[in-house]
Amino acid sequence: MAPAVTEPQSQDDIHSSDPEGTQKGVQAQKAVITLNGLKGTEDGSESHKIGHSEGGVEPHNNMEVNNSVESRNGAGSNDDIEQYNGALPKNGIRNKLLEQVVRTPGRLPSPQPTHLSVAPPSVPRLLHEEGPGYVAPKFEGKELQMDQVMDQIEEKGFIPIDFVESETKWFYEELGIDDMYFQTESVDAIVNHILSLYAAKVAAYARDDKRLEIRLDKEAVDHAVYIDTSKPGISVIDGPRYEQRIDEKYIDGSMGSNSYRVETFRSASLLPREAEQQLRCYFVYKCHFSNPSPGPEETKLDVIGEKRFLQKATENTKEIYREVITNAVARTGPVIEMFEIEGSREKRLVVAYRQGSAMGIFSAMSDLYHYYGLTSSRKYVEQFSNGITVMSIYLRPLPQVDTTAKHPPIEASIHQIMKEVSLLYCVPQNKLQGHFAIGRLSLQETIYAHCVWVFVGHFLNRLGSEYTSLASMLDPNNSSHVEMLSKIKRRLRTETFTSDYILEIINKYPGLIRSLYLAFANTHYIQTRGEQDDFIPTLSYLRLKVDKVLDNSELETIISKIVSNEHDEMVMTAFRVFNAAVLKTNFYTPTKVALSFRLNPSFLPEAEYPQPLFGMFLVISSEFRGFHLRFRDIARGGIRIVKSRNREAYSINARSLFDENYNLANTQQRKNKDIPEGGSKGVILLDVHHQDKARVAFEKYIDSIMDLLLPPVSPGIKDPIVDLHGQEEILFMGPDENTADLVDWATEHARNRGAPWWKSFFTGKSPKLGGIPHDAYGMTTLSVREFVLGIYRKLHLDPSNVRKLQTGGPDGDLGSNEILLGNEKYTAIVDGSGVLVDPNGINREELVWLAKKRVMISQFNPSKLSPEGYRVLVDETDVKLPTGEVINNGMIFRNTFHLRCGKQFDLFVPCGGRPESIDLSTVSKLIFDGRSIIPYIVEGANLFITQDAKIRLEKAGCILFKDASANKGGVTSSSLEVLASLSFDDKGFEENMCIHEDGTAPPFYDAYVKEVQETIKRNAALEFEAIWREHQQTGLPRSTLSDTLSVAITKLDEELQNTELWKDSKLRRSVLHDALPKLLLEKVGLDTIIERVPDNYLRAIFGSYLASRFVYEFGSNPSQFAFFDFMSKRTAKLQS
């Protein structure tokens, strides 16, 4: 019989529940606890302090901790602490100390965007008021209304007359409902509520268990009321789930004038004949703001406050809210504050965050404090018109129950809750929430498992050794073999493991999750101050039996013994793969906005990913999941956001997310052959339920990656992280699909967080921040046009007679500039809105107008089409074309138009569209009688055509230039923008690269942009000529030659950077002088550039320039003497 997996030992901040009752004998285990600074004798006679040393208060990362659990004003008796004391078992393993952590020399804690405030013990933050901090205006007509209510109840005759007055007074006086409710509701509504409650009491007699269960809800246009039976400290996972409904219907969607505030409280008395049950009442009101549209930085409560809140809140409450809102406006993440209630053990937890950034957190908070044995007496959710939500929760220990054997005292647990709110904020409703709600797993364990579930979904659907064996037996040059293999790959990846199936398997093994999580935590959680760490002892220390941390081989053994079948073993083994791959994470930093993991990509199978990655980030939040992949240390690429029209589209996008990201980064790597940076790419996939959260997702993605890149700055310092990578990393990013308008925020945010590389962090930023916008200057289009013009030049074609098809319309960067720069005869354009066709040529003036306005073809004037022309929009059905054909569905027609084009086009330039729009299964539609029906294709859009489909088209006679060669203009522009930002100091950068407030550009800026444009055209022309020459000499497909040239350049580049040539000072300066922009040399000077630009970046410039110039001149397979000849010419130039 396989041994059972017992609960793992928690280490300070690692928690597990104990539903099976393994607490037996804890009371008998009295000892002195020194962990976390909790000190006490066996009899509990000494005072107990958490979070500071004996000698006095010791600030920790600018957070002063007031965790006193000594008896004060009746709060926290010695008995409470005595129950909590217990020596660490011999087989227990403490967390490693900070000094033992492997990390970059000099690396300190990363800065935090979130504000976590804990008061110092010497000056406790006490609330000197009684009650909830709200005073409802007195309802003068309350007595009269109560009389009217009783009259109506008597008339209805449902409640016996003798009980009418008692039931009515119970409702009015015992449930704690404030006057705002009675002033808002009509007499009829109140009568219905009282009758419903009485009916529930009557119905209880019909129940076998005789339990009184009351559930009542009323939803009006501008308010709602929910009343439910509630046992303190228990999350109910069945029933009406009113808190989840309030989240989904009111809080999550609150934005601007469509916002809702919530008040909820627990009745002071128990229900009749119930030892534990109370009533929980929820009141939801639509907000009415005095100023519904203030600036986002506005913090004055009288300007941003809701009218009811301003009317009811006490001055003390307003001051609290004013403080947290001011902090929330200045930060990306949540603000978390705690206040003690004078003369009570009750604590007031206040959390502020930006509207829409934490979906489902209201109900999830209940699960969190229930887990620690606490209940709430009152909760308030307030909305403010500047876009901030503030949640205020009054927490107290469970009533009349000795919880100390299972839970820490509230004086300790409140601080752990504060730390975990940030984790909850990242993923308020995780996929294993049910285990957390019932106490089977802790919040950290469930969110860890949720993250691994995401990881497994992307990397378990691999093809296996059978696929590799089959691929080796088939002929890659046989198109039928390749097509069959492609179909097998697609089917294997979609049918093996679905996300639901993976989750079903994970849910079966909570015990394994605990052990696997403990191994993860043992590596990545550290005590920042040794034995005096500020983390409280957690629930796991109360266990009589504590598991040891299992090593990898022990985990492998226990997984194989416990799992039911091979599939289960594969999924649970993937947890081990994840643990081994994580090099650093922000999982344990006390404040964060999303969870980020820097992974070692070596676990990827070489058969599927032949080009090894250098770096890999995985980012997870409730709104999205995302990757950032790069092929070299110094690498650059855009960040794109992928949206999904429906659940089916989301499933497809989720399955292909990593592969698409890998292929995009790989394309970028080949495209970046002329520049120092290697290829990288970031892809953010919005969750199916959060398609409107693009900005929120982008901000969380960027901020959480920065958590793993930055050393600390003040204010907002985090705890250190374990850095198994051990090297400083800098990422260079840029705009891509759906992120162009977010780049400025990322640049400013990097500056605000103290990143020394903020100027070069993002390219494509606005000119006022020194950016060179690709769309405004047509940077990407310039290189695409150079390949189009090259075809015309070589084949002596007249562009005005070339019939042109373009996907990606006049609303996009590449599409609009292609229209403006081109002079062909456009006969069809496909964009997001539909299809526009005119065999006689689309009206040029109207097209140019659309391109300058950046609008879709849906705004094209149909009257300017010829009789043979037509337009079909995606939302149209049953459209009859001039040919008589009827289009049943405009969306399908748009998606497949590029595959049904007949012989009416000479040139196809994809400037937009989803990756793999033409693959091996569809390319045959573009081939007729063995010949390509489109003679020339220049692929402007990334990955629009799969490589195997490109080769098929070229074999069929098509002259085709692929994306990695054709659209590299944007990356060249971005690289030169990065170079300028690294070469100038901050003052010089602002003077020479930033557009002035009046919109005028510095003279240097205008001249530099022109030099960038010329560089783009020169590099594109060099590559075009090299590919054309190589094809004529070898007959190999141009798509293959493009890759061959890229590989040759990047390989030689890396070799040159590590040769003795770099150490030759004269040669190094000569190459840099030729490679660097002339204007930059004149303005800054070579010596200053060498001093300011990082050495590894200069090496990359040196290697990429020499490698690209050599390969473009001598080809991808030069003679063994070619490089000697090439370098001899440079040496001779130096001596002359």
Side-chain angles (χ1 to χ4, degrees):
M1 181 176 176
V5 177
T6 56
E7 201 82 4
Q9 175 195 348
S10 169
Q11 299 187 0
D12 293 333
D13 192 26
I14 308 164
H15 316 295
S16 296
S17 65
D18 188 33
E20 290 81 17
T22 56
Q23 316 290 349
K24 297 175 183 177
V26 172
Q27 288 86 342
Q29 200 176 15
K30 291 186 179 180
V32 178
I33 291 185
T34 56
L35 274 177
N36 308 312
L38 177 61
K39 298 179 180 295
T41 61
E42 258 189 78
D43 61 4
S45 58
E46 290 188 26
S47 64
H48 307 280
K49 303 238 178 193
I50 301 178
H52 47 86
S53 59
E54 292 179 273
V57 178
E58 189 174 308
H60 169 57
N61 285 352
N62 286 354
M63 295 192 301
E64 296 174 302
V65 184
N66 174 27
N67 279 357
S68 175
V69 292
E70 60 187 301
S71 181
R72 178 178 0 99
N73 293 327
S77 67
N78 285 340
D79 290 337
D80 288 329
I81 305 304
E82 190 175 75
Q83 291 281 357
Y84 207 56
N85 288 343
L88 197 66
K90 291 182 180 179
N91 65 339
I93 300 177
R94 299 187 193 280
N95 282 319
K96 63 181 72 59
L97 302 183
L98 178 59
E99 289 70 28
Q100 299 169 321
V101 176
V102 179
R103 63 178 187 277
T104 309
R107 171 176 273 277
L108 293 172
S110 300
Q112 287 303 294
T114 307
H115 174 77
L116 180 68
S117 175
V118 185
S122 56
V123 188
R125 304 191 71 174
L126 292 178
L127 294 183
H128 298 284
E129 64 182 12
E130 296 181 1
Y134 287 78
V135 179
K138 187 175 181 181
F139 178 29
E140 299 295 343
K142 188 173 181 180
E143 292 295 328
L144 176 60
Q145 183 193 65
M146 187 160 59
D147 289 338
Q148 293 172 344
V149 167
M150 286 190 285
D151 289 342
Q152 280 203 27
I153 293 175
E154 285 186 12
E155 289 176 11
K156 292 183 180 293
F158 181 73
I159 300 179
I161 294 177
D162 292 344
F163 295 159
V164 169
E165 183 176 358
S166 61
E167 290 296 323
T168 304
K169 286 188 173 182
W170 175 72
F171 183 81
Y172 267 78
E173 298 171 2
E174 297 296 325
L175 298 187
I177 303 174
D178 69 18
D179 282 9
M180 182 67 73
Y181 163 81
F182 297 107
Q183 197 165 1
T184 303
E185 292 291 347
S186 66
V187 170
D188 289 341
I190 295 172
V191 169
N192 286 335
H193 292 168
I194 294 173
L195 290 176
S196 298
L197 294 174
Y198 185 77
K201 296 178 184 179
V202 174
Y205 286 99
R207 294 171 59 107
D208 292 336
D209 57 8
K210 302 298 181 186
R211 291 188 66 89
L212 179 57
E213 189 172 87
I214 297 173
R215 284 172 180 168
L216 181 146
D217 62 88
K218 176 199 170 184
E219 295 175 349
V221 175
D222 60 351
H223 69 283
V225 177
Y226 304 92
I227 300 177
D228 193 12
T229 312
S230 172
K231 180 181 178 182
I234 300 297
S235 292
V236 180
I237 59 175
D238 54 9
R241 297 172 68 85
Y242 288 140
E243 290 198 350
Q244 285 78 4
R245 180 164 180 78
I246 292 171
D247 261 331
E248 294 168 6
K249 187 167 183 176
Y250 299 106
I251 300 177
D252 290 350
S254 284
M255 197 68 65
S257 59
N258 188 40
S259 297
Y260 293 86
R261 60 184 301 270
V262 180
E263 299 182 12
T264 171
F265 45 84
R266 182 179 299 282
S267 64
S269 59
L270 296 172
L271 290 172
R273 294 177 299 281
E274 290 288 341
E276 297 176 323
Q277 300 277 63
Q278 295 173 314
L279 281 187
R280 165 70 76 176
C281 304
Y282 302 88
F283 300 96
V284 183
Y285 302 100
K286 188 166 186 178
C287 293
H288 297 282
F289 298 109
S290 300
N291 183 350
S293 303
E297 306 299 317
E298 181 61 68
T299 59
K300 295 178 182 176
L301 288 190
D302 57 343
V303 176
I304 62 176
E306 198 272 341
K307 291 180 180 179
R308 283 191 185 89
F309 167 76
L310 294 175
Q311 189 179 25
K312 296 177 62 176
T314 63
E315 286 304 315
N316 196 42
T317 291
K318 289 178 181 177
E319 184 57 38
I320 290 171
Y321 279 39
R322 189 177 294 112
E323 178 185 337
V324 297
I325 290 172
T326 299
N327 287 325
V329 164
R331 290 168 173 81
T332 304
V335 174
I336 307 161
E337 297 264 13
M338 186 273 288
F339 300 88
E340 298 188 19
I341 308 298
E342 187 177 29
S344 167
R345 295 185 69 189
E346 195 169 55
K347 314 293 179 185
R348 184 176 185 180
L349 183 66
V350 181
V351 181
Y353 57 92
R354 296 182 185 275
Q355 285 180 334
S357 65
M359 315 294 265
I361 195 170
F362 176 66
S363 55
M365 283 291 294
S366 298
D367 295 335
L368 177 58
Y369 59 73
H370 288 166
Y371 184 82
Y372 285 96
L374 304 181
T375 186
S376 64
S377 57
R378 304 175 299 285
K379 296 190 283 190
Y380 301 87
V381 179
E382 301 291 356
Q383 308 290 352
F384 295 87
S385 58
N386 64 345
I388 299 295
T389 299
V390 180
M391 189 184 308
S392 185
I393 305 174
Y394 290 78
L395 296 173
R396 58 175 57 163
L398 294 179
Q400 301 174 357
V401 179
D402 181 11
T403 60
T404 54
K406 184 176 181 181
H407 301 289
I410 186 173
E411 290 75 19
S413 61
I414 186 65
H415 296 287
Q416 195 60 45
I417 290 171
M418 292 179 69
K419 295 174 187 299
E420 298 209 353
V421 167
S422 179
L423 193 60
L424 198 65
Y425 175 84
C426 296
V427 189
Q429 299 289 336
N430 67 74
K431 287 294 181 179
L432 289 92
Q433 191 79 15
H435 290 285
F436 174 50
I438 64 175
R440 183 180 292 125
L441 292 174
S442 72
L443 178 65
Q444 293 177 35
E445 289 163 343
T446 56
I447 291 184
Y448 160 77
H450 175 96
C451 293
V452 182
W453 167 75
V454 173
F455 174 86
V456 173
H458 289 293
F459 301 111
L460 193 64
N461 293 348
R462 303 302 91 190
L463 309 177
S465 58
E466 295 83 359
Y467 173 85
T468 306
S469 301
L470 179 62
S472 64
M473 290 188 291
L474 297 178
D475 181 6
N477 297 315
N478 186 317
S479 60
S480 61
H481 286 191
V482 174
E483 186 169 352
M484 181 184 69
L485 202 60
S486 175
K487 289 180 178 178
I488 291 173
K489 178 192 287 188
R490 192 179 300 274
R491 176 166 295 182
L492 283 174
R493 285 187 168 171
T494 56
E495 294 184 358
T496 312
F497 287 89
T498 65
S499 60
D500 289 342
Y501 181 43
I502 294 168
L503 184 61
E504 179 185 329
I505 291 172
I506 293 173
N507 270 312
K508 289 160 61 175
Y509 301 106
L512 283 178
I513 291 172
R514 296 187 195 106
S515 295
L516 289 158
Y517 168 73
L518 186 56
F520 169 83
N522 187 57
T523 299
H524 293 284
Y525 173 65
I526 56 177
Q527 288 178 252
T528 56
R529 302 192 317 168
E531 295 300 318
Q532 300 300 322
D533 202 349
D534 68 331
F535 279 86
I536 65 163
T538 59
L539 303 185
S540 301
Y541 283 116
L542 300 175
R543 303 184 189 288
L544 180 63
K545 183 177 181 181
V546 182
D547 275 354
K548 70 170 186 175
V549 180
L550 302 178
D551 62 27
N552 197 46
S553 61
E554 290 172 321
L555 286 170
E556 181 180 12
T557 300
I558 202 165
I559 288 172
S560 64
K561 288 181 178 179
I562 290 177
V563 295
S564 305
N565 53 54
E566 184 181 357
H567 279 188
D568 291 13
E569 184 170 9
M570 289 174 66
V571 170
M572 300 313 294
T573 297
F575 277 71
R576 291 175 43 237
V577 174
F578 175 81
N579 285 358
V582 177
L583 297 177
K584 50 185 172 178
T585 176
N586 69 351
F587 193 93
Y588 291 107
T589 53
T591 53
K592 51 198 163 283
V593 295
L595 297 169
S596 55
F597 303 89
R598 169 60 162 93
L599 302 176
N600 182 343
S602 60
F603 67 87
L604 296 171
E606 185 179 354
E608 295 180 57
Y609 304 103
Q611 183 76 9
L613 287 167
F614 179 88
M616 176 178 175
F617 289 83
L618 169 63
V619 186
I620 298 170
S621 177
S622 58
E623 296 88 0
F624 71 95
R625 63 182 64 176
F627 288 99
H628 186 275
L629 310 177
R630 74 189 200 274
F631 281 93
R632 281 163 60 176
D633 184 14
I634 300 296
R636 204 205 67 80
I639 308 298
R640 67 170 49 183
I641 295 175
V642 177
K643 298 182 178 181
S644 310
R645 276 185 177 270
N646 49 44
R647 184 174 292 277
E648 181 183 3
Y650 174 79
S651 298
I652 295 170
N653 290 334
R655 284 197 298 267
S656 63
L657 176 64
F658 180 80
D659 285 353
E660 179 179 326
N661 197 160
Y662 178 89
N663 292 333
L664 287 168
N666 202 9
T667 299
Q668 197 80 23
Q669 170 78 353
R670 296 192 298 271
K671 195 188 302 182
N672 288 11
K673 61 180 77 68
D674 299 321
I675 63 175
E677 301 97 339
S680 72
K681 208 74 172 182
V683 178
I684 301 168
L685 175 65
L686 294 178
D687 184 80
V688 66
H689 301 298
H690 299 288
Q691 293 299 301
D692 59 339
K693 294 292 190 300
R695 185 178 187 90
V696 170
F698 179 82
E699 291 182 0
K700 289 187 175 184
Y701 174 88
I702 295 299
D703 192 79
S704 59
I705 287 180
M706 289 175 67
D707 285 347
L708 304 184
L709 302 178
L710 285 175
V713 292
S714 184
I717 297 178
K718 288 186 187 180
D719 289 344
I721 60 172
V722 176
D723 186 354
L724 300 180
H725 181 57
Q727 298 176 12
E728 183 180 4
E729 294 186 283
I730 301 176
L731 301 183
F732 300 103
M733 301 178 179
D736 206 311
E737 290 180 14
N738 299 310
T739 61
D741 60 336
L742 302 173
V743 168
D744 282 5
W745 176 88
T747 304
E748 295 282 15
H749 190 61
R751 175 158 59 179
N752 293 338
R753 288 196 60 173
W757 30 259
W758 70 268
K759 300 191 300 293
S760 59
F761 183 41
F762 256 87
T763 55
K765 51 190 175 289
S766 69
K768 69 176 183 179
L769 291 171
I772 302 177
H774 298 173
D775 55 351
Y777 297 104
M779 298 303 192
T780 306
T781 311
L782 285 172
S783 60
V784 174
R785 290 301 301 169
E786 202 61 40
F787 279 82
V788 172
L789 294 174
I791 294 173
Y792 296 161
R793 186 173 62 251
K794 293 293 184 182
L795 301 180
H796 309 290
L797 299 176
D798 181 359
S800 62
N801 295 324
V802 173
R803 298 168 300 172
K804 183 175 181 179
L805 163 67
Q806 178 178 310
T807 57
D811 61 311
D813 165 15
L814 189 54
S816 63
N817 282 304
E818 179 66 20
I819 291 170
L820 295 173
L821 295 176
N823 57 348
E824 296 88 0
K825 179 182 177 181
Y826 272 93
T827 51
I829 291 182
V830 182
D831 71 6
S833 66
V835 178
L836 180 67
V837 177
D838 195 331
N840 298 315
I842 299 172
N843 185 279
R844 174 74 184 171
E845 289 182 3
E846 187 74 0
L847 260 188
V848 169
W849 179 82
L850 293 177
K852 288 182 176 179
K853 290 285 187 181
R854 286 292 181 89
V855 294
M856 293 186 176
I857 59 170
S858 56
Q859 297 194 34
F860 185 92
N861 186 352
S863 68
K864 296 190 176 183
L865 291 171
S866 71
E868 290 81 22
Y870 59 87
R871 185 186 67 183
V872 179
L873 302 180
V874 292
D875 55 357
E876 292 181 330
T877 56
D878 299 327
V879 180
K880 188 173 183 179
L881 304 184
T883 59
E885 181 184 0
V886 176
I887 303 302
N888 296 321
N889 186 301
M891 176 71 73
I892 296 174
F893 184 69
R894 190 279 306 269
N895 292 345
T896 58
F897 181 82
H898 62 283
L899 299 171
R900 48 167 287 152
C901 46
K903 298 182 179 180
Q904 52 189 322
F905 307 112
D906 302 312
L907 172 68
F908 179 21
V909 182
C911 294
R914 296 299 298 154
E916 301 186 7
S917 292
I918 301 174
D919 60 14
L920 203 57
S921 64
T922 58
V923 69
S924 58
K925 296 180 180 180
L926 299 178
I927 298 173
F928 183 75
D929 287 341
R931 299 293 299 172
S932 171
I933 58 179
I934 303 179
Y936 321 117
I937 299 177
V938 177
E939 187 182 27
N942 286 323
L943 305 177
F944 188 84
I945 310 172
T946 62
Q947 180 70 1
D948 43 17
K950 290 186 182 90
I951 293 172
R952 282 285 299 275
L953 285 167
E954 291 205 59
K955 286 184 177 179
C958 178
I959 296 176
L960 189 152
F961 289 93
K962 70 183 295 182
D963 52 353
S965 294
N967 74 358
K968 64 180 182 177
V971 303
T972 303
S973 173
S974 296
S975 179
L976 293 173
E977 181 184 325
V978 167
L979 181 60
S981 70
L982 293 172
S983 301
F984 283 111
D985 58 15
D986 283 3
K987 182 180 178 183
F989 186 75
E990 289 185 13
E991 291 176 353
N992 294 285
M993 287 298 294
C994 296
I995 300 297
H996 302 144
E997 290 295 329
D998 60 2
T1000 59
F1004 178 86
Y1005 183 91
D1006 286 336
Y1008 192 66
V1009 166
K1010 291 178 182 177
E1011 184 170 7
V1012 171
Q1013 290 174 323
E1014 291 304 314
T1015 302
I1016 289 170
K1017 291 192 282 188
R1018 181 169 61 251
N1019 287 345
L1022 284 171
E1023 183 168 1
F1024 175 86
E1025 292 294 339
I1027 292 174
W1028 193 274
R1029 182 186 66 241
E1030 290 269 306
H1031 175 73
Q1032 287 184 321
Q1033 293 174 355
T1034 65
L1036 293 172
R1038 296 173 184 83
S1039 301
T1040 301
L1041 290 172
S1042 174
D1043 291 343
T1044 304
L1045 285 173
S1046 295
V1047 170
I1049 291 172
T1050 53
K1051 184 178 179 182
L1052 180 58
D1053 175 7
E1054 291 171 0
E1055 291 173 353
L1056 287 172
Q1057 291 185 45
N1058 297 310
T1059 63
E1060 294 296 315
L1061 292 175
W1062 171 254
K1063 297 180 180 179
D1064 185 330
S1065 176
K1066 288 186 178 180
L1067 176 64
R1068 181 172 70 242
R1069 291 178 64 88
S1070 170
V1071 171
L1072 290 176
H1073 187 274
D1074 290 348
L1076 295 171
K1078 299 297 179 285
L1079 280 170
L1080 209 54
L1081 288 169
E1082 294 171 6
K1083 192 72 175 178
V1084 181
L1086 180 59
D1087 290 332
T1088 305
I1089 291 174
I1090 290 174
E1091 179 184 338
R1092 289 175 177 168
V1093 177
D1095 186 69
N1096 56 354
Y1097 198 93
L1098 290 173
R1099 280 176 179 263
I1101 294 174
F1102 176 85
S1104 64
Y1105 182 81
L1106 280 180
S1108 61
R1109 287 337 185 240
F1110 171 73
V1111 172
Y1112 286 153
E1113 182 178 347
F1114 292 93
S1116 58
N1117 191 25
S1119 70
Q1120 56 185 324
F1121 300 107
F1123 189 73
F1124 175 78
D1125 182 39
F1126 175 75
M1127 291 305 301
S1128 296
K1129 291 178 183 178
R1130 288 209 65 91
T1131 305
K1133 181 181 175 183
L1134 279 176
Q1135 296 172 349
S1136 61

